Amino acid sequence: MSLSRCLSVLLLVLALPVAAQVKPLPAPSPLDAPPKDAIETATGIYYKVLKPAPAPVTHTRGDFIEFTVNVWSADGETRINGQQAGKILTSMRRLVNEQPAMVRVIKSTPIGETRRWWVDAERMKPGYPGMPDLAHVFDITVHGEKDPTRAPPDVAAPPADAIRTASGLAYKVLERGNRAPGHPSAMDHVRVHYTGWTPAGQVFDSSLHKDKPATFPLQNLIAGWREGILLMQRGDSFRFWIPGHLAYDNVPGNQAPKGMLVFDVTLLAFGPMAPIQQPLDADGKVPDSAQ
């Protein structure tokens, strides 16, 4: 899974309010309160070590952390299935306000260790949409830190297996999405996660650093994006090598670098333009309030 999609998956998974959307897992016991042999932390949450971390024990310090997790609420419902969600890459800055309990759990679990955490209902707040007012149990393994904006090894030039178009655009398919039918049209808004590099590997822009996807009118973007995104379907992740004449070489006054640029783009949603710019909903449509 591409790193930008991992971040998007986390935001979706943590927002799932309906247990039917998640494959159920056998719930551990107890769920409603920690057992007597659980260890209390200074923040008032409890844990047990299921699999110790390898020596030497280290903790994550960076912003982007990768982990796997199973989550149950005290009513026995599976809220996150780690086999279903896979490895999750998330920004701690993003979670601080939305899921503070997750931040405490992730930051307190050493790299490589699996712990079971009991978090009471009050410390779960504000929580995810539709969250029951119940304690939750987390089985979490922290895998370490990753920089989702680190330059790929082929950033200097399109590789031999890249597809080239008549305009000079080159691209590779990094991952196919859910293959929902249809492509964006030239007049659509698109919602994307993206990172842009110079051929030297320098990051000059990234939605991941801004902690949220970007929504653009496709017709307002550089020619390389306009051509490339029309090739994509919802959920696809592509890498584009965009020559200068399709990027910013002919855009006066723009502060972006000149010459060839490389972008990793994940298309999350698309839909028709509205009188005012609004984020697209989960189905890629403009909300009714914006019509």
Side-chain angles (χ1 to χ4, degrees):
M1 180 177 288
S2 69
L3 296 182
S4 55
R5 276 197 77 204
C6 284
L7 183 60
S8 304
V9 165
L10 173 75
L11 301 180
L12 172 63
V13 168
L14 292 183
L16 290 177
V18 181
Q21 295 175 280
V22 181
K23 295 178 181 179
L25 292 169
S29 181
L31 278 174
D32 57 346
K36 292 182 179 180
D37 59 346
I39 301 169
E40 183 179 8
T41 69
T43 59
I45 53 179
Y46 292 77
Y47 72 92
K48 289 182 68 172
V49 176
L50 303 182
K51 179 183 177 182
V57 174
T58 57
H59 288 78
T60 57
R61 295 182 179 180
D63 181 37
F64 287 95
I65 311 299
E66 189 176 49
F67 63 94
T68 51
V69 65
N70 298 319
V71 182
W72 300 266
S73 49
D75 56 3
E77 297 287 358
T78 304
R79 301 294 169 175
I80 301 179
N81 180 326
Q83 294 178 344
Q84 185 179 6
K87 286 185 178 180
I88 296 170
L89 180 71
T90 186
S91 165
M92 293 292 99
R93 287 179 296 166
R94 177 79 178 197
L95 286 185
V96 164
N97 294 324
E98 298 178 2
Q99 300 289 334
M102 284 291 292
V103 174
R104 298 187 189 101
V105 165
I106 294 168
K107 287 291 192 179
S108 300
T109 301
I111 295 173
E113 185 156 296
T114 303
R115 287 185 177 184
R116 176 166 295 156
W117 291 87
W118 287 263
V119 183
D120 61 54
E122 188 60 31
R123 287 180 173 83
M124 283 296 301
K125 296 175 181 177
Y128 52 86
M131 185 185 77
D133 192 19
L134 297 170
H136 282 58
V137 174
F138 297 76
D139 280 5
I140 189 165
T141 303
V142 174
H143 300 290
E145 302 175 18
K146 279 193 174 182
D147 180 0
T149 63
R150 180 178 298 170
D154 53 10
V155 73
D161 60 346
I163 302 169
R164 290 164 171 80
T165 72
S167 69
L169 177 72
Y171 70 94
K172 285 181 66 173
V173 178
L174 302 180
E175 184 174 0
R176 289 295 186 183
N178 57 20
R179 309 310 295 149
H183 298 265
S185 74
M187 298 301 292
D188 275 346
H189 273 79
V190 294
R191 187 171 66 201
V192 296
H193 261 310
Y194 69 93
T195 298
W197 299 273
T198 67
Q202 180 182 1
V203 177
F204 64 90
D205 194 11
S206 176
S207 62
L208 302 182
H209 283 164
K210 300 168 187 175
D211 293 331
K212 61 180 180 180
T215 301
F216 302 113
L218 185 54
Q219 65 176 359
N220 290 357
L221 300 179
I222 57 175
W225 273 58
R226 294 198 304 270
E227 179 182 355
I229 289 180
L230 291 178
L231 302 171
M232 303 176 73
Q233 291 179 259
R234 189 172 295 115
D236 286 351
S237 294
F238 281 26
R239 179 167 298 147
F240 296 106
W241 291 262
I242 302 179
H245 70 278
L246 299 178
Y248 296 101
D249 283 5
N250 301 318
V251 181
N254 192 283
Q255 299 302 309
K258 305 298 183 182
M260 187 193 77
L261 299 174
V262 181
F263 289 91
D264 277 8
V265 179
T266 297
L267 179 61
L268 304 175
F270 57 86
M273 297 183 70
I276 57 174
Q277 288 194 25
Q278 290 283 343
L280 305 177
D281 65 20
D283 296 322
K285 300 176 181 177
V286 176
D288 291 341
S289 60
Q291 300 291 342

